[in-house]
Amino acid sequence: MSLPEFDFHAPGTVDEACRMVAEYGDKAKIFAGGTDLMLDMRRKRISPEHVISIPQIEELKTIDQAPGLLKIGACVTVSRIVKSKEIGAKWGALCAGGKALGSCLVRNLATVGGNLASARPAADMPPPLMAYGASLVLKNTSGERVVSLDDFFKGTGVTVMTPDEILTEIRIPEPPAHSGAGYFNLGIRNACDINILNVASYIALDGPGGAVKSARIVMGCVAPTHVRALAAESLLIGEKPSEALFQSAGEAAMKAATPRGSAYSRASAEYKKDMVKELTVRTLTMAYREAMGLTA
Amino acid sequence: MSEYDVINTRAARVDASDKVRGRAVYVDDIKMPGMLYGALLQSPLAHGELLNIDTSAAERLPGVKSVVTYKEAGLVKYGVSPARYDETLFCHDKVRHVGDNIAAVAATDLDTALEAVSLIKVEYRELPAVFTVEEAMAEGAPALHAAYPRNITAEVHDEFGDVAAAFKKCDLIKTSSLVNKRQDAAFIEPQGCLASYDFSGNLTVYSSTQVPHYLQRIIAMVLGLPVGKVRVIKPYVGGGFGPKAGASHLELAACLLSMKTGKPVKMNFDRQQVFMHGRARHQFFHTMTTGVKKDGAIMALEHKCYLNGGAYSSFGIATVYYAGSLLGGPYKLPNMKYDGYRVFTNLPACGAQRGHGGVIARACWEQQLDMIAEELGMDPIELRLKNMMKAGDVTCNFLDMSSLGMKECVEAVRDRSGWKEKKGKLPPGKGIGMSCGFFVSGAGYPIYRSDTFHGTVIIKLTEDGGTALVYTASAEIGQGSDTTFAMIAAEAMGIPLECVRLESGDTDFGVDLGAYSSRQTLMTGLATKEAGEDIKRQVLEVLSEELHVPIEDMDIKKGFIVFRKEKPDFSALRTRYIKEHRGWTDNPGMDEELSFKEASRIAFLSRGSIVGKGKYKPPELGGTHKGAAVGTSPAYGCSAQVVELSVDEGTGKINIEKMTDAHDCGLAINRTSVEGQMNGSLSMGLGEALFEEVKFDDKGRVLNDDLAEYKITRALDMPAIEPIIIESKEPNGPFGAKEVGEGAIMPAIPAILNAVYDAIGVRIFELPMKPERVYMAIKEYRRKKEEALRSSEGKAPGGSAKK
């Protein structure tokens, strides 16, 4: 199947790319890895007049681990994240999310920025990034703004980005001592799948064996965007971690989740709700084990 | 040590190097000067009356060379079985499914052809559509085809023995059901073709087909050409699995467009069109009742099945027979009753797919046999071995087990999997299950009624004597048949594999019914063997004349002449040979043995071209009841499998950990290829058991028409596999060989079903066993158990469903 006709642009710098998106606005689509975009174009779901490629821009491909903050360029490929020992050591759930994405070949092309900007509710990168409290740098010709990932998604395929903006960087704070995170994605098969449900959880403890100081639970596939399980999070705060506590957090997340399901969708609402509970408990347990230094 | 020099080894495939290096030519690689591109207009509606087709705007588009509809194509009916020819190249009165074919365009490039298709204006009157068996068979339901009341394509009512009487003598009678989902065969290469009609009136068609011969006949019939003017050539094919075993609208449209334009026309399905064309596994609704004695002896089977067939018959009439007849074995079953209904619905037609008709029936029954074994307190393997047929037995529906290594297969998987140490002893969430299966080695009769040979093979020696050229019209579709026949030819002639060059897949090479019903190894194999022996005989005849040695005192082995008695003086022959090859560097030394190459050069000098001929057709087989032809075969392959798996009870996700698989292929011509077919069957069975399901919306449109949402098994889903080859030496096969291509899929699904039960204590009666279905079954089981406990003891249970 052939692609619709379009003009292809390959700017050398972020500034140049910003000028292009400013000029073409919503007639343009940004090509970061192309693993979603090309499918949409081949299926003629979208027919942009301009495709602006950005993975050749060097400044978008850096991983910078400053004290207290990890900065990942938007065009860092998912396979680089998966393979990074530094990221794996402190942000293990992010690597887990990366490993769950597509196949090895897809991960070699797909970029972390693309996985966020395409705003698919089943995507693998948003839950761990939200759980770690990531924020995003959006640039245009007049400057940049920093948005919390919590506030980034507006609907399926829709974000707060304006047509003249480019996502350039993902900033992830370094998790404090005695914290941990876990990611679990549920699909039908073991590779190249589209998630039925995915959950990432993060908790920080008030010292070893202490109470939960902060918590973030992020669910995919239950709403048009990734959502936090706020009731479950607040239920954890100030409590000593236990199996029973995680079970009630799972219950709370399940009660708050309102997934849609039909005969035609990947799973029923009932199953998804039950899995919200199951995966919340599992990822909280993973997070707790990491916080206690119990994971390898 | 094998008694053979070439076969029964692990020879490298003759096409391996070209395929691995990208040199192998597939149909879409072929281009011709002046070639046009074709595209199809396909129905957006599931059921509608065609009121008007206006092609004028499409014809006016620059670059468009031809637009054809039923007006140009005519209304010759075709299909798979002449008993159910119900398709025309293009629809003329109504459309019967989304994707039904209305018109085709040829243009200078594909984009223009597609644009022209979008310019064709069709007026429809939408008709009510039926998508399920219940809807289609309901009183007053809209009929897809006027000739078939209640939308029944075909029904079968067979009884062998007396089931009702047998049930009266049974100690245990068990009923259960199983339903699968419509499959897509998901071959990697979508159908494609290139038709070229020349100015002498010859039509050459390159196609990714499994059946060049049937395609040739259907093209000739539909387009009104003599068979001799139609040549079908099959280049390398990227998988078929059944749906490519019949002529398609794509091929016929390309032929018609080429005839209209006088130019070559290329056409391809895209992946969406592969789904809309369908012709893969039906959806089956099986209900079975089996009666047994206390000691496990199987007495009778009562079986009812409904098939959701889609809009046309395709293979359906055979499918509905196979679904019943293949349960005749491999267990001794004296009484069997079968009622089958194949039903038209407004969906793409279903057809044949690996394990044609028998796969879901086998799964339903093998799960039921496990349920029976459990109630009788018998080990499932013990139950099966107790009832097992042996070589020479004939089933109640007249299938002759001329060889049957079934018991050996069962014992092999039992012992190699550690069944005795594991069965009943695994922790909750882990399970082990087994199953048997068997399948035909080729259908006993062609698809059209005929006394034709099922395969003819010609071998010609090159004039220098060094190479044997094998010509067969059989279809290499990725399964390795070219290698198999090159090996058989080499063995039969007594020469090394390297001295054989094989060409296949061309109707000019002879008749071969093609790659379906696991027929080629046995049938084309026998024809190849006969041709090879014919060559050997002719060469030895000439030698006998020249050397005055009786022919029975000579043989050819490993490329050299074997003199069984005294070695004659052949120096004169050698001198003659060398004189003809002055300056050549590979002439034999005077002290070497007499080579086949020398002998066959001498034979050429004496007789001209040395051509060996082989042919095969099965003897009269099977019973005389209606439909007896379906299920008969000169031989049956059989297999057994043990699956070990774990079930994540929290999510319902199944992880297959190990498959131990034994298959009796009679004799392995190429051991690596046999294992490849076994592994491929397991992969396909695993996908069907766990993932695969073609879904439709309420308008009959395929929802998951790509390989992202239609999920087949990928490498990471494949467990460790231990393939075990059993060789029972089939008397009706070439060197004892019989099928492996399809039979190996038979036990895969039921072995998984039985292992899942062993892991979670819950039976699943619907496929695929995706996590949600398994999880919900466990949840329902626990809810019921809890209710039962509450009413009896007032206590809540905990832990796994298994215990």
Side-chain angles (χ1 to χ4, degrees):
Chain A
M1 216 184 316
S2 53
L3 290 169
E5 249 180 51
F6 58 88
D7 287 338
F8 183 77
H9 309 272
T13 63
V14 171
D15 287 345
E16 202 185 329
C18 286
R19 284 198 296 277
M20 285 178 177
V21 289
E23 186 182 343
Y24 302 124
D26 50 19
K27 288 183 180 143
K29 275 282 172 193
I30 294 173
F31 176 104
T35 55
D36 284 331
L37 183 69
M38 287 298 110
L39 293 180
D40 284 342
M41 288 175 66
R42 282 186 152 206
R43 280 266 181 144
K44 312 251 181 345
R45 287 190 282 247
I46 52 169
S47 303
E49 290 173 32
H50 301 272
V51 171
I52 301 167
S53 167
I54 57 170
Q56 72 284 356
I57 300 174
E58 287 304 324
E59 53 194 298
L60 295 178
K61 293 193 281 192
T62 55
I63 300 178
D64 175 19
Q65 197 178 347
L69 190 66
L70 173 69
K71 295 178 183 177
I72 301 177
C75 289
V76 169
T77 61
V78 174
S79 62
R80 271 181 71 200
I81 290 178
V82 169
K83 285 176 194 154
S84 163
K85 288 205 177 71
E86 293 72 28
I87 297 177
K90 287 180 181 160
W91 295 274
L94 181 56
C95 287
K99 274 182 199 151
L101 192 153
S103 65
C104 190
L105 300 177
V106 172
R107 291 193 289 273
N108 283 341
L109 287 171
T111 59
V112 57
N115 198 246
L116 296 173
S118 61
R120 298 285 144 198
D124 285 297
M125 302 308 277
L129 284 170
M130 278 169 81
Y132 284 121
S135 54
L136 311 179
V137 179
L138 307 179
K139 279 193 181 171
N140 63 13
T141 48
S142 49
E144 66 171 51
R145 58 175 173 145
V146 179
V147 199
S148 162
L149 186 52
D150 284 354
D151 305 324
F152 181 67
F153 299 114
K154 287 289 153 198
T156 301
V158 187
T159 69
V160 298
M161 282 170 72
T162 54
D164 68 338
E165 280 181 319
I166 294 176
L167 166 60
T168 59
E169 188 175 283
I170 296 97
R171 294 182 178 168
I172 314 163
E174 186 171 322
H178 317 301
S179 71
Y183 177 70
F184 196 103
N185 70 303
L186 177 64
I188 285 179
R189 60 183 177 193
N190 292 330
C192 243
D193 211 344
I194 297 160
N195 293 324
I196 298 168
L197 197 87
N198 53 344
V199 175
S201 293
Y202 161 90
I203 53 171
L205 304 180
D206 199 5
V212 177
K213 204 164 59 177
S214 66
R216 278 191 289 272
I217 300 166
V218 186
M219 304 171 290
C221 312
V222 295
T225 67
H226 291 82
V227 288
R228 299 260 302 265
L230 295 171
E233 291 174 5
S234 57
L235 184 147
L236 293 166
I237 306 294
E239 300 291 329
K240 282 245 182 184
S242 69
E243 220 183 298
L245 180 68
F246 293 164
Q247 285 288 339
S248 21
E251 290 278 348
M254 178 172 81
K255 279 188 188 133
T258 53
R260 291 202 304 180
S262 73
Y264 309 129
S265 59
R266 294 184 190 107
S268 69
E270 181 189 354
Y271 180 64
K272 281 189 176 185
K273 278 182 82 95
D274 282 8
M275 289 308 103
V276 165
K277 179 183 172 190
E278 180 72 25
L279 302 198
T280 300
V281 175
R282 287 187 188 193
T283 52
L284 281 172
T285 308
M286 291 157 87
Y288 173 70
R289 289 179 59 81
E290 190 186 5
M292 295 295 288
L294 297 171
T295 43
Chain B
M1 249 330 259
S2 164
E3 61 190 286
Y4 301 109
D5 297 317
V6 182
I7 62 167
N8 210 219
T9 62
R10 292 186 176 278
R13 284 177 60 143
V14 295
D15 53 1
S17 213
D18 277 351
K19 283 187 171 171
V20 169
R21 296 172 191 212
R23 284 286 305 274
V25 173
Y26 292 81
V27 70
D28 200 34
D29 296 321
I30 303 171
K31 291 182 174 59
M32 286 184 176
M35 185 176 83
L36 303 176
Y37 292 80
L40 288 165
L41 172 65
Q42 296 175 303
S43 171
L45 298 180
H47 204 185
E49 198 180 324
L50 273 179
L51 301 178
N52 189 41
I53 307 171
D54 176 4
T55 57
S56 55
E59 281 159 22
R60 283 196 302 271
L61 185 72
V64 170
K65 300 297 177 190
S66 180
V67 182
V68 290
T69 66
Y70 71 90
K71 287 171 200 151
E72 289 75 23
L75 294 173
V76 177
K77 286 200 168 177
Y78 75 98
V80 172
S81 164
R84 291 292 184 282
Y85 278 172
D86 57 7
E87 298 188 62
T88 52
L89 171 42
F90 297 117
C91 301
H92 66 104
D93 53 353
K94 59 181 195 168
V95 292
R96 294 180 176 86
H97 69 94
V98 174
D100 216 350
N101 297 280
I102 299 164
V105 173
T108 47
D109 60 85
L110 182 58
D111 285 339
T112 305
L114 290 169
E115 195 186 338
V117 162
S118 73
L119 293 174
I120 300 172
K121 292 190 200 73
V122 184
E123 283 176 53
Y124 305 93
R125 187 172 70 84
E126 192 163 359
L127 298 170
V130 289
F131 300 123
T132 65
V133 168
E134 292 77 16
E135 286 168 11
M137 292 182 79
E139 209 57 54
L144 272 84
H145 301 268
Y148 297 98
R150 292 180 70 212
N151 288 313
I152 297 170
T153 313
E155 55 189 299
V156 183
H157 304 285
D158 273 338
E159 182 162 6
F160 305 96
D162 186 339
V163 168
F167 276 156
K168 286 187 191 136
K169 295 181 205 147
C170 289
D171 298 309
L172 173 64
I173 293 177
K174 193 93 202 159
T175 300
S176 66
S177 61
L178 186 69
V179 56
N180 70 323
K181 298 292 155 44
R182 166 192 289 250
Q183 299 289 291
D184 182 270
F187 33 74
I188 296 307
E189 180 203 30
Q191 288 96 332
C193 63
L194 172 58
S196 177
Y197 186 70
D198 68 22
F199 295 114
S200 315
N202 298 308
L203 178 64
T204 305
V205 187
Y206 300 84
S207 179
S208 71
T209 181
Q210 296 175 231
V211 287
H213 173 74
Y214 290 129
L215 180 56
Q216 177 193 37
R217 284 178 64 100
I218 295 286
I219 289 170
M221 182 183 86
V222 171
L223 299 177
L225 295 168
V227 166
K229 292 283 185 189
V230 180
R231 179 182 183 189
V232 174
I233 301 173
K234 177 214 63 65
Y236 281 124
V237 170
F241 310 112
K244 293 180 184 173
S248 76
H249 308 85
L250 191 80
E251 291 149 332
L252 292 166
C255 290
L256 179 62
L257 288 167
S258 182
M259 290 170 71
K260 291 283 170 203
T261 58
K263 289 181 178 279
V265 177
K266 167 176 283 209
M267 291 184 85
N268 288 304
F269 276 157
D270 62 25
R271 186 59 68 181
Q272 286 68 47
Q273 289 172 307
V274 172
F275 279 87
M276 283 197 289
H277 180 65
R279 323 274 159 157
R281 178 123 47 240
H282 286 69
Q283 183 178 25
F284 297 83
F285 298 81
H286 289 284
T287 304
M288 296 183 187
T289 302
T290 302
V292 297
K293 295 286 234 184
K294 255 191 292 217
D295 64 357
I298 301 172
M299 301 298 289
L301 167 67
E302 186 174 29
H303 173 200
K304 193 171 227 186
C305 181
Y306 294 90
L307 287 70
N308 185 334
Y312 297 100
S313 295
S314 180
F315 272 91
I317 185 168
T319 317
V320 66
Y321 275 107
Y322 268 128
S325 66
L326 288 179
L327 293 180
Y331 309 114
K332 290 177 207 146
L333 174 66
N335 304 286
M336 179 166 83
K337 183 173 188 298
Y338 173 58
D339 296 285
Y341 302 84
R342 199 271 191 181
V343 179
F344 288 120
T345 54
N346 290 108
L347 297 173
C350 295
Q353 187 176 331
R354 198 178 216 161
H356 188 189
V359 169
I360 306 305
R362 176 61 52 192
C364 182
W365 202 35
E366 294 279 338
Q367 168 154 270
Q368 187 171 78
L369 291 178
D370 259 42
M371 295 162 77
I372 288 168
E374 188 183 29
E375 282 198 31
L376 293 176
M378 277 176 94
D379 182 275
I381 287 184
E382 190 194 334
L383 177 81
R384 286 173 171 86
L385 286 177
K386 182 185 168 55
N387 289 285
M388 198 61 73
M389 301 178 89
K390 56 183 195 308
D393 287 350
V394 177
T395 68
C396 68
N397 56 336
F398 312 107
L399 313 184
D400 186 347
M401 304 297 114
S402 42
S403 66
L404 194 73
M406 195 66 251
K407 177 168 169 280
E408 292 76 7
C409 286
V410 173
E411 289 168 350
V413 296
R414 178 193 67 196
D415 298 344
R416 298 278 272 276
S417 67
W419 173 270
K420 284 180 182 163
E421 294 75 52
K422 290 171 182 166
K423 175 63 183 168
K425 297 171 186 134
L426 297 175
K430 287 210 175 263
I432 186 165
M434 74 84 60
S435 174
C436 298
F438 92 128
F439 199 67
V440 299
S441 299
Y445 297 87
I447 288 171
Y448 58 93
R449 280 198 180 225
S450 168
D451 286 330
T452 181
F453 287 101
H454 292 212
T456 63
V457 171
I458 292 169
I459 303 180
K460 191 179 108 186
L461 299 180
T462 55
E463 52 87 23
D464 74 310
T467 301
L469 307 175
V470 180
Y471 297 104
T472 158
S474 61
E476 165 68 74
I477 58 168
Q479 82 281 47
S481 60
D482 278 1
T483 307
T484 297
F485 303 136
M487 291 172 81
I488 288 175
E491 186 73 47
M493 288 182 279
I495 62 177
L497 182 57
E498 299 73 50
C499 296
V500 173
R501 209 170 85 209
L502 180 135
E503 300 282 342
S504 67
D506 184 333
T507 51
D508 276 6
F509 297 161
V511 166
D512 196 285
L513 301 186
Y516 72 100
S517 78
S518 296
R519 55 171 295 285
Q520 290 193 151
T521 295
L522 187 142
M523 297 189 176
T524 314
L526 281 169
T528 307
K529 181 169 180 274
E530 185 177 291
E533 288 163 351
D534 190 20
I535 289 280
K536 184 191 256 188
R537 180 185 54 76
Q538 294 181 52
V539 170
L540 292 180
E541 271 172 11
V542 173
L543 269 194
S544 175
E545 290 155 15
E546 298 278 341
L547 297 172
H548 309 293
V549 176
I551 192 165
E552 56 274 13
D553 291 348
M554 294 184 288
D555 197 4
I556 305 173
K557 270 187 104 57
K558 297 182 183 180
F560 290 95
I561 311 303
V562 177
F563 297 101
R564 291 211 178 91
K565 293 184 175 158
E566 199 185 338
K567 193 195 286 188
D569 176 8
F570 52 79
S571 57
L573 278 188
R574 174 155 290 166
T575 306
R576 256 174 86 197
Y577 176 86
I578 291 175
K579 268 189 186 165
E580 301 230 335
H581 296 85
R582 267 188 204 135
W584 293 38
T585 55
D586 62 345
N587 281 331
M590 286 315 275
D591 53 347
E592 284 176 27
E593 298 295 318
L594 184 63
S595 69
F596 171 79
K597 187 174 179 179
E598 292 167 90
S600 64
R601 173 64 182 171
I602 298 299
F604 172 80
L605 295 176
S606 161
R607 292 189 174 185
S609 288
I610 301 296
V611 177
K613 295 197 301 177
K615 63 199 177 308
Y616 176 76
K617 96 171 123 179
E620 290 246 337
L621 294 167
T624 52
H625 55 285
K626 191 180 174 207
V630 185
T632 59
S633 176
Y636 296 88
C638 58
S639 44
Q641 195 179 327
V642 168
V643 166
E644 293 163 68
L645 53 74
S646 60
V647 179
D648 179 341
E649 294 193 19
T651 62
K653 191 163 176 181
I654 294 168
N655 188 37
I656 311 279
E657 290 168 355
K658 190 169 182 221
M659 292 167 129
T660 308
D661 185 30
H663 187 89
D664 168 22
C665 63
L667 175 129
I669 302 294
N670 187 330
R671 302 185 73 81
T672 310
S673 290
V674 169
E675 289 171 1
Q677 285 296 314
M678 291 167 72
N679 293 353
S681 280
L682 299 196
S683 154
M684 193 170 256
L686 189 155
E688 184 158 0
L690 302 188
F691 316 129
E692 295 182 40
E693 167 174 17
V694 180
K695 297 178 188 173
F696 295 91
D697 69 8
D698 58 2
K699 298 278 184 195
R701 293 174 294 211
V702 184
L703 281 164
N704 53 343
D705 56 3
D706 59 39
L707 298 183
E709 292 284 0
Y710 183 85
K711 296 171 198 300
I712 60 172
T713 307
R714 295 181 63 103
L716 286 179
D717 302 304
M718 282 301 281
I721 292 178
E722 185 175 350
I724 304 160
I725 296 173
I726 302 291
E727 297 179 308
S728 64
K729 305 285 157 60
E730 166 58 47
N732 299 327
F735 303 105
K738 54 184 179 178
E739 74 86 35
V740 61
E742 298 180 78
I745 198 175
M746 288 292 174
I749 296 171
I752 295 172
L753 281 164
N754 289 332
V756 166
Y757 175 74
D758 190 49
I760 62 175
V762 184
R763 287 278 172 200
I764 311 275
F765 299 104
E766 184 175 353
L767 302 175
M769 288 180 277
K770 53 187 185 179
E772 176 171 0
R773 178 158 294 120
V774 176
Y775 173 84
M776 289 301 183
I778 296 172
K779 190 176 174 182
E780 176 66 12
Y781 175 86
R782 284 182 179 159
R783 193 186 59 75
K784 279 192 183 154
K785 198 166 162 187
E786 216 162 302
E787 262 176 23
L789 267 179
R790 217 179 287 128
S791 58
S792 65
E793 295 174 45
K795 268 199 311 196
S800 166
K802 183 179 181 177
K803 304 290 154 170

